[in-house]
Amino acid sequence: MSHNANHQSDDRIATASPDAIADGVDEDPVENNRRLFTGWPLWVFAVLAIAYSLFHLISLNIYPLETWTYRIIHIAGALVLGYGLYAGTAFADSESDASPGWLKAISLALLLPAGYALVQVFFMYQTLAGEAMRIDPSIETFHFGLPLMAASAAGIALSWFYRQTRGRLSPPDLALVVCALASAGYLILVYGTNIRMATGTSFAPPGISWAAIAGSLLILELTRRVAGLALVVIAAVFLGYVFIGPYLPGFLGYPGLSLQRFFSQVYTDIGILGPTTAVSSTYIILFIIFAAFLQASKVGDYFVNFAFAAAGRARGGPAKVSIFASGLMGMINGTSAGNVVSTGSLTIPLMKKVGYPARSAGAIEAAASTGGQIMPPIMGAGAFIMAEITGIPYTEIAVAAIIPAVLYFLSVYCMVDFEAARKGMRGMRKEEIPQFRRLAKQVYLFAPIIILIVALFMGYSVIRAGTLATASAAVVSWISPNKMGIAAILRALQLAGTMAIQIIAVCACAGIIVGVISLTGVGARFSSLLLGLAGFSQLLALLFAMCISILLGMGMPTTAAYAVAASVVAPGLVDLGIEPLIAHFFVFYFAVVSAITPPVALASYAAAGISGDNAMGTSVASFKIGLAAFIVPFMFFYSPAMLMEGSAFQVLRVGITATLGIVLLSGMVQAWFFGPVSVWQRLAMLVGAVFMIYGGIYTDVAGLALGAVLFVLQRRRYANDGAVAAG
């Protein structure tokens, strides 16, 4: 993998011209298990993806659907596209290596029970349309539920072993597509009647439980295919808790739920159709479409070129470019690891070219890409989920995120700058980077993001602002070299439908966990545990909350990590007396930085694959570079002014002193200020940094005094060779 990535990156660098060093940043990365269709299957899934994106745009802006119906279609569409495009196991190299004929025959036979369950949905529709009050439970169980379960479970199991060439759809996955349609069709049908009121009671029809079990299995399997096992394992643990919880001792025990009662409720707005899907079906899908339009108009390439022109000539230039470019791209695309793959395949080889070791190059890219998730105004998608869960206006969350985001990126920048100075690295030569004045003429390409920000702060809804920004991306492209015609717009809609699969599966899977937490009350028991710890020390309670948030987030995309942690940890912090905004930002930050926290650090692993270095070594290095992100959340607690909570003077004072503290912290980590620093100076820098980061008036004064002494000592010592220290 790393060899191919390096080879591809070297080719891109070799062919890059000074006018455009970035080429292909906007290309959609193709996962190892993604099918590559040709001919009519390609057209079928392209049309489905375009229709899926258009369905959301029309439903959100023109013709709204009933909420539960809309969310069920939202998930079902992702399941259909997901099982069509992503295989359950490795591809066969040729037809001769494909699975034998008898396995194909068994797999095709699954279409019979799956198709039968789907046909039964149509018959049940006719029954209810004939003014029947309910459907015969035996029909729901024996003619719908059991065939659906058999086809779903067997289809998932067979898909793990069925090997097919990369350009063909396997029969087990075709059966799973039909199962997804049958499950969703039944739920839409039943939830459109008064039967919906029976969920969670003994009067709930058995078909709801069957459809919910099959739907949950389909969501879990698709999540495994597109996001790995981590989230699936955590969801399985929570599902297991539903049934073994009553037998557990102490605070983990609870009265218990029956299979029917639990599953008749989990596929409602308590669980799968709840807050996570509410956000993925509105804000996230809309901003994925926005990102796809930006990609289709090659704005991502422009962002990276602009960053090279602005920072490429500074010492360690490509590393500083990585910070700016990854911050801009990561803010939009919503996944740390995905951002590493898109921008890192260009920036990591360039960093190595100017003298960065492979480990440092990968770590810098991973830390910068992770920071994109906390960069307002979009913040990956976390801000929208936070707004949905807390009820705090989105604009207030975006404003609150400004100082912490600045501190994070300043920290990474200082780490990079001090390392470049310590190792005597050069920047890129003038002829190696694009000309700034030529790129400045295309600065209008930032217009869609500016329109988005202005519309939000003018009071437009997030959906309306996002739609305006998406439309403006197409309009702006008409005055750029990459004009978007009808074909490019359709390509953007297709790209959006494909990009959305992972995040929708992840949000639906997180919804299962949220449902378990809501229905079993385990979140409340975690809250009581935090309150008990706070009786000894609030700092101890915060450290415990930090560990739980990181643990829940390991191996998971940011959105799911925050959604789960917000359900388990945040209520406990609020019970401690912490403001909801501060509590949720605390949890959100640690869910984000789990992407660079050893031992499971997805962003670092992706960067190591490109740099060719050891994955664990890269994750430790990225953890060190992103150290500020582990300190900033504690600053919220001790200095709410960090989140714009307080007077203008308090915000300004905390912002300035925290900034100076972050610079000292970076110098301490890299053992460099104006030159090398001794052990006692590093210790003094750490103390000064902690004093200023803490945010109290007396600690700020003490920290400033320490910083001033260190500044004078370093300045005096290296005055004579300042030119060398400047790199």
Side-chain angles (χ1 to χ4, degrees):
M1 175 186 167
S2 60
H3 173 76
N4 292 338
N6 286 332
H7 179 72
Q8 180 186 13
S9 303
D10 291 341
D11 287 347
R12 284 164 64 182
I13 294 166
T15 57
S17 70
D19 291 333
I21 197 167
D23 183 23
V25 169
D26 286 308
E27 291 174 5
D28 187 27
V30 180
E31 299 83 352
N32 291 333
N33 66 331
R34 170 97 74 86
R35 293 187 173 95
L36 299 176
F37 291 121
T38 56
W40 67 266
L42 173 65
W43 286 101
V44 167
F45 281 97
V47 169
L48 285 174
I50 292 167
Y52 186 63
S53 297
L54 283 173
F55 160 75
H56 287 94
L57 284 175
I58 292 168
S59 297
L60 290 172
N61 290 284
I62 301 171
Y63 187 76
L65 292 175
E66 193 277 327
T67 304
W68 283 19
T69 299
Y70 172 69
R71 293 177 189 174
I72 291 167
I73 295 172
H74 169 74
I75 294 172
L79 291 173
V80 169
L81 285 172
Y83 282 114
L85 293 175
Y86 291 90
T89 189
F91 293 111
D93 295 327
S94 63
E95 289 291 347
S96 60
D97 294 329
S99 294
W102 63 267
L103 190 58
K104 182 177 182 180
I106 294 173
S107 301
L108 285 170
L110 291 179
L111 288 169
L112 291 175
Y116 184 73
L118 183 59
V119 169
Q120 287 301 315
V121 173
F122 175 72
F123 289 148
M124 286 188 271
Y125 167 74
Q126 290 185 316
T127 301
L128 291 175
E131 299 187 0
M133 293 297 291
R134 61 181 298 147
I135 302 157
D136 185 342
S138 65
I139 292 176
E140 288 189 315
T141 298
F142 297 107
H143 294 272
F144 169 73
L146 291 177
L148 176 64
M149 275 301 303
S152 299
I156 289 170
L158 284 174
S159 73
W160 297 341
F161 305 101
Y162 196 97
R163 283 167 56 83
Q164 184 63 276
T165 53
R166 196 162 191 172
R168 300 184 67 176
L169 178 64
S170 67
D173 286 348
L174 183 58
L176 294 177
V177 166
V178 177
C179 288
L181 293 172
S183 174
Y186 174 87
L187 291 171
I188 291 170
L189 173 66
V190 171
Y191 286 161
T193 69
N194 290 332
I195 299 173
R196 168 169 161 175
M197 305 298 291
T199 55
T201 71
S202 55
F203 301 102
I208 293 179
S209 297
W210 290 115
I213 294 170
S216 299
L217 285 175
L218 293 170
I219 289 166
L220 288 168
E221 169 60 11
L222 183 59
T223 303
R224 181 192 71 81
R225 296 186 186 190
V226 298
L229 266 174
L231 181 57
V232 177
V233 169
I234 292 173
V237 168
F238 273 88
L239 284 171
Y241 174 73
V242 173
F243 305 107
I244 66 170
Y247 308 103
L248 294 177
F251 82 99
L252 285 174
Y254 85 105
L257 287 166
S258 68
L259 186 79
Q260 181 183 3
R261 187 179 171 201
F262 172 75
F263 277 105
S264 71
Q265 277 187 288
V266 78
Y267 219 117
T268 68
D269 58 4
I270 290 175
I272 294 170
L273 303 183
T276 55
T277 297
V279 175
S280 75
S281 64
T282 50
Y283 310 137
I284 291 177
I285 187 68
L286 190 61
F287 279 93
I288 286 173
I289 295 170
F290 176 50
F293 270 72
L294 290 180
Q295 286 187 219
S297 58
K298 297 292 182 186
V299 170
D301 282 349
Y302 176 75
F303 282 173
V304 177
N305 284 324
F306 191 89
F308 269 106
R313 295 186 68 186
R315 61 187 178 200
K320 291 172 181 175
V321 168
S322 169
I323 297 167
F324 294 124
S326 298
L328 285 168
M329 294 288 286
M331 171 182 72
I332 296 167
N333 72 12
T335 69
S336 304
N339 193 33
V340 168
V341 171
S342 61
T343 57
S345 56
L346 177 70
T347 58
I348 289 173
L350 282 169
M351 280 188 260
K352 291 166 70 177
K353 190 177 176 184
V354 299
Y356 279 95
R359 180 165 299 178
S360 289
I364 291 164
E365 176 60 42
S369 291
T370 299
Q373 310 298 295
I374 57 177
M375 170 69 82
I378 300 173
M379 298 167 66
F384 305 123
I385 291 188
M386 199 182 297
E388 180 74 21
I389 292 173
T390 62
I392 298 168
Y394 164 78
T395 48
E396 189 177 325
I397 291 170
V399 169
I402 292 172
I403 293 178
V406 169
L407 291 178
Y408 180 83
F409 280 101
L410 175 68
S411 167
V412 177
Y413 184 91
C414 289
M415 295 273 193
V416 164
D417 188 58
F418 291 152
E419 182 178 4
R422 180 163 52 84
K423 294 182 177 177
M425 294 177 188
R426 67 171 180 88
M428 298 177 74
R429 292 187 294 273
K430 185 178 180 180
E431 59 271 18
E432 290 179 316
I433 61 174
Q435 293 182 5
F436 188 83
R437 70 172 185 273
R438 298 185 72 167
L439 287 171
K441 294 176 182 176
Q442 290 181 277
V443 76
Y444 54 79
L445 289 172
F446 281 101
I449 291 175
I450 294 168
I451 287 170
L452 170 67
I453 295 168
V454 170
L456 286 169
F457 284 93
M458 283 177 64
Y460 285 83
S461 70
V462 175
I463 290 171
R464 187 55 51 86
T467 305
L468 284 172
T470 302
S472 70
V475 172
V476 165
S477 75
W478 297 339
I479 55 174
S480 79
N482 300 292
K483 297 176 176 61
M484 289 185 71
I486 297 297
I489 289 172
L490 291 175
R491 168 64 186 147
L493 291 170
Q494 179 196 349
L495 180 62
T498 306
M499 288 166 60
I501 294 169
Q502 184 198 50
I503 198 73
I504 293 168
V506 159
C507 284
C509 190
I512 295 174
I513 299 171
V514 171
V516 172
I517 292 165
S518 300
L519 292 169
T520 63
V522 71
R525 282 185 285 283
F526 265 103
S527 297
S528 66
L529 182 63
L530 279 177
L531 280 169
L533 286 171
F536 298 102
S537 163
Q538 283 196 322
L539 179 60
L540 187 64
L542 289 172
L543 287 169
F544 181 77
M546 173 190 79
C547 293
I548 294 293
S549 299
I550 291 173
L551 189 65
L552 289 173
M554 280 186 179
M556 288 165 56
T558 306
T559 314
Y562 167 63
V564 174
S567 300
V568 175
V569 183
L573 295 179
V574 173
D575 288 344
L576 290 178
I578 300 173
E579 290 289 323
L581 179 66
I582 297 170
H584 279 268
F585 257 110
F586 186 91
V587 168
F588 175 62
Y589 261 68
F590 287 116
V592 167
V593 299
S594 64
I596 55 170
T597 307
V600 184
L602 290 185
S604 302
Y605 289 178
I610 297 169
S611 70
D613 191 68
N614 174 267
M616 186 55 66
T618 301
S619 65
V620 171
S622 57
F623 171 81
K624 185 176 79 170
I625 289 170
L627 191 62
F630 295 86
I631 296 171
V632 167
F634 290 93
M635 297 161 71
F636 306 158
F637 177 72
Y638 291 111
S639 299
M642 284 281 299
L643 296 179
M644 306 290 186
E645 301 267 311
S647 66
F649 173 74
Q650 287 175 315
V651 171
L652 187 63
R653 178 179 65 80
V654 167
I656 291 171
T657 55
T659 298
L660 295 172
I662 287 294
V663 173
L664 281 181
L665 182 70
S666 303
M668 185 278 297
V669 171
Q670 295 291 11
W672 188 275
F673 202 25
F674 289 99
V677 294
S678 61
V679 175
W680 77 264
Q681 286 177 324
R682 290 182 77 181
L683 185 61
M685 291 171 88
L686 177 61
V687 173
V690 171
F691 277 174
M692 284 193 277
I693 286 168
Y694 181 78
I697 187 72
Y698 298 113
T699 53
D700 278 351
V701 171
L704 285 169
L706 261 175
V709 170
L710 286 164
F711 178 86
V712 171
L713 286 174
Q714 282 269 306
R715 193 70 176 160
R716 185 177 298 167
R717 182 177 176 185
Y718 296 105
N720 296 330
D721 50 359
V724 175

